[in-house]
């Protein structure tokens, strides 16, 4: 299961992060969206509203509902989450390797 922060969806963490996020969303490889709102003074929950609207407009209402409502509720209730069959190609490997090198996870 994969969770992505709402800020990654709307580009808060830069173009590279958004590019990887877009790819994962297009492949339906994301299962949850988090707020990253550890500090409500500097990070409010509006970012979740913005991310939900973005996903709904770009990827459809059904996927947005799964990410923001259905899968979180399933976890809370101890049920299996909705997972799509992934068709992640070679492009994902290239994108992830570049990202990991940039973040110095792979040397």
């Amino acid at each position: 299961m994969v969770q992505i922060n709402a800020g990654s969806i709307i580009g808060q963490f830069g173009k590279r992060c958004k590019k990887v996020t877009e790819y994962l969303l297009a492949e339906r490889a994301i299962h949850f969206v988090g707020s990253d709102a550890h500090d409500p003074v500097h990070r409010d929950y509006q970012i979740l509203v913005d991310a939900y609207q973005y996903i709904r407009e770009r990827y459809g209402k059904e996927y947005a509902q799964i990410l923001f409502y259905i899968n979180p509720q399933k976890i809370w209730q101890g049920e299996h989450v909705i997972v799509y069959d992934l068709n992640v190609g070679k492009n994902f490997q290239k994108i992830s390797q570049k990202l990991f090198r940039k973040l110095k996870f792979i040397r």
Side-chain angles (χ1 to χ4, degrees):
M1 292 183 286
V2 177
Q3 175 180 311
I4 197 100
N5 286 331
S8 299
I9 295 166
I10 62 169
Q12 187 178 37
F13 303 112
K15 290 179 184 179
R16 288 184 182 179
C17 183
K18 184 170 179 164
K19 183 177 180 181
V20 172
T21 300
E22 288 286 337
Y23 182 78
L24 292 172
L25 287 167
E27 294 293 333
R28 302 299 194 260
I30 304 296
H31 306 99
F32 309 94
V33 175
S35 66
D36 198 27
H38 305 284
D39 176 3
V41 174
H42 297 102
R43 295 180 180 175
D44 64 23
Y45 291 97
Q46 181 61 41
I47 196 165
L48 281 172
V49 174
D50 296 342
Y52 177 84
Q53 290 172 344
Y54 180 86
I55 290 174
R56 183 177 171 159
E57 290 171 10
R58 187 155 181 152
Y59 300 100
K61 181 180 179 180
E62 178 185 352
Y63 191 42
Q65 291 286 318
I66 289 169
L67 296 179
F68 287 85
Y69 299 104
I70 297 170
N71 276 348
Q73 184 177 28
K74 285 183 176 290
I75 287 291
W76 186 255
Q77 294 172 343
E79 299 173 2
H80 293 285
V81 300
I82 297 171
V83 177
Y84 288 88
D85 289 331
L86 298 180
N87 185 21
V88 179
K90 294 177 185 177
N91 195 29
F92 173 73
Q93 186 176 5
K94 290 178 184 177
I95 291 171
S96 62
Q97 285 176 350
K98 287 180 183 177
L99 177 65
F100 289 148
R101 277 193 206 108
K102 180 70 175 171
L103 297 174
K104 299 182 182 177
F105 291 134
I106 297 175
R107 296 185 192 273

